[in-house]
Amino acid sequence: MEKTETLVAAHYTTEDLLGRIARALTEVGADPANLRPDDLKPVDEFHTGGLEATKALLDQLQIDAETRVLDIGSGLGGTARFVTETYGAGVVGVDLTPVFVETALELSRMVGLEDQVTYLTGSATALPLEPDSVDLALMFHVGMNIAD
């Protein structure tokens, strides 16, 4: 990983992220053992504009169950889960921060979407994917962390 990527990943790394999310969900009345995707909405769209920005972009695109979607800088996985839940598309999320990838995997498992979404640790500038493996790529609030 290059120096900028190491600094960005370190900046976003936080301890006990999943535990903190589970406690916050419990505080607002959600049961972490029986979560629905909607229960995650308060933390799921971890980018400027939140869910409204996600919907505004997706409304301009043609996505269906056959579309293979890449979410670059997927964070906690909220956009990927929203895409698969709304359109039935398979989604691969790639994020630079390992704790975000681990948390996204677990949150997706907790809401029963682990078979529709995949998360990988990797860089937006060197994606860990085969050529032509996706039809559509999304990126929210990530470009600010890329030098060029």
Side-chain angles (χ1 to χ4, degrees), residues 26-86:
T26 301
E27 288 176 15
V28 297
D31 177 4
N34 295 297
L35 288 179
R36 296 170 293 114
D38 281 350
D39 294 329
L40 298 177
K41 292 301 179 215
V43 298
D44 245 1
E45 300 290 333
F46 189 58
H47 59 79
T48 301
L51 182 58
E52 293 308 312
T54 299
K55 288 179 180 178
L57 174 65
L58 297 178
D59 284 347
Q60 300 174 57
L61 305 173
Q62 292 185 353
I63 305 172
D64 61 31
E66 301 302 314
T67 309
R68 300 168 300 170
V69 179
L70 169 62
D71 182 12
I72 302 169
S74 55
L76 301 177
T79 298
R81 283 188 293 277
F82 182 79
V83 168
T84 198
E85 183 183 24
T86 304

Side-chain angles (χ1 to χ4, degrees), residues 102-113:
E102 294 163 13
T103 302
L105 285 164
E106 183 59 18
L107 290 174
S108 295
R109 187 198 64 73
M110 292 169 76
V111 297
L113 294 175

